[in-house]
Amino acid sequence: MRMKLTFLVVLAALSAGVVAQEPAIRIHAATVLDGTGKVLRNVTIVVQGSKIAAVDATGAGPATYDVGRLAVMPGMIDVHAHLGWHFGADGRYEPRSASPAQEILYSAANSYVTLMAGFTTIQSPGQANDVELRSAIARGVLPGPRILTSIRQLNEGSGTPDEIRDKVRKLKADGADVVKIFASKSIRDGGGQTMTDEQLAAACGEAKAQGLRTMVHAHSPESIKASVNAGCLQIEHGVFANDDVLKLMAAKGVYFDPNIGVVLQNYLRNKPKFLGIGNYNEEGFAYMEKGLAINAAMIKKAVATPGLKLVLGTDAVAGAHGHNADEIVERVKQGNQKPMDAIVSATSLAAESLRLEKTIGTLAPGYEADLIAVDGDPTSDITAVTRVVFVMKGGKVYKHVAAGATHGSHE
Ligand SMILES: [Zn+2]
């Protein structure tokens, strides 16, 4: 009896010790955007371990971090970023590095830059070493965003419908979070449909059967329509999306991830670093230059389409990492999207598109403590999202600099 009591006392002491090791972190802010469209004033977010324990509206009690006039919001989510894309030692785009070690280090560097820009989750349309990168970051030993990856891609060369179904099952076995599908050509090659309706139905049908989401690269209206009719869940790019297919996506609840603010601008800004490699020729650049105006018209129509679920994705490639938030700014500027809607598209709605809406993208008790502070109020000045001064992911602070120390994301 006596021994048992001692044992209980020791147990109690041990568990008290565990709690004492992790004191709550309290972040006080005058303005908090919760990610679902609500603004909270003068609140303290209480973080315990990796999660948000409370959002205290009384604002009372001592704060570990008092961000004052800065606005706090959920860590941003980019549903389409290529962390592995990089410029090589000669400063030019390098589709393949000399060694796997170089490849993964470029990915790690881009992960760091992306996290520092306030993006705590990204979805990669896939490269094989994403799997190792995903787990290293998840172990907490490497600073970077949470990663979801397709590992590989499917395209018109992926075989018969049966062969495509096999490939989807193999992706599932290899740990893919999503299936990336190319239903159309690149914008540099005109963007027409490539995969057959049967191939698309096999890819998106089998993915659904395996519990995997699908994201489809599609530029032309016919390739978008074919993808939606094949049961695919998300459309990427959509430069040539017209009213018909915008309405179709809205009606079917398909997520649309147009990339109008970062990727083409980045290619044009860095033209000498890409020109002469693959389809980065003068004709390709001419298509991309024309794409700017086509995108600007398309995004206005997309924003104005009732019920269309626009999610934030950049298609960030070499040179664009860390500039991801420019996409949010440009959707507001070019697309007339309301700032709060643009923020929701990069937080709770993006989380929903990843089926993580109960885990990330919202500041509320029980959610992962992924949160950032930006210098300014993004509801009145959307460029504030490019001035990230504080980054916490999973309860761990990765960045904390004085306001005014950032200069936006443009170099
Ligand atoms: Zn892409």
Side-chain angles (χ1 to χ4, degrees), residues 237-356:
H237 321 306
V239 171
F240 303 113
N242 59 21
D243 285 329
D244 279 355
V245 295
L246 291 170
K247 279 186 200 145
L248 179 68
M249 285 188 273
K252 301 272 184 174
V254 169
Y255 297 97
F256 183 36
D257 169 31
N259 317 118
I260 59 99
V262 173
V263 62
L264 294 184
Q265 291 85 344
N266 177 74
Y267 277 134
L268 294 167
R269 196 161 57 227
N270 291 299
K271 183 174 174 180
K273 299 180 180 181
F274 288 96
L275 194 64
I277 300 167
N279 63 2
Y280 296 98
N281 48 35
E282 288 294 352
E283 193 190 5
F285 270 92
Y287 266 122
M288 293 200 282
E289 215 148 322
K290 276 187 217 135
L292 288 177
I294 302 170
N295 264 340
M298 180 273 290
I299 191 65
K300 283 185 188 67
K301 285 191 279 186
V303 167
T305 303
L308 180 57
K309 295 200 269 193
L310 283 176
V311 289
L312 198 285
T314 60
D315 199 12
V317 295
H321 303 292
H323 299 258
N324 314 60
D326 288 357
E327 181 74 28
I328 302 175
V329 174
E330 291 303 317
R331 289 195 188 178
V332 171
K333 284 188 177 166
Q334 295 182 41
N336 303 323
Q337 191 170 30
K338 289 186 189 126
M340 186 60 95
D341 290 348
I343 289 161
V344 168
S345 83
T347 52
S348 65
L349 191 62
E352 183 196 294
S353 78
L354 305 175
R355 294 185 182 151
L356 291 175

Side-chain angles (χ1 to χ4, degrees), residues 33-35 72-76 118 120 343 347-348 361-363 370-372:
L33 281 57
D34 78 342
V72 169
M73 55 185 269
M76 295 182 279
T120 49
I343 289 161
T347 52
S348 65
T362 297
L363 297 184
D370 289 6
L371 55 92
I372 62 173

Side-chain angles (χ1 to χ4, degrees), residues 5 22 50 72 78 106 109 135 159 165 185 200 230 257 270 287 318 344 356 377 379 404:
L5 199 67
E22 280 197 74
S50 68
V72 169
D78 185 340
Y106 280 118
S135 65
R165 280 188 278 268
K185 289 183 182 169
L200 284 169
D257 169 31
N270 291 299
Y287 266 122
V344 168
L356 291 175
D377 181 350
T379 62

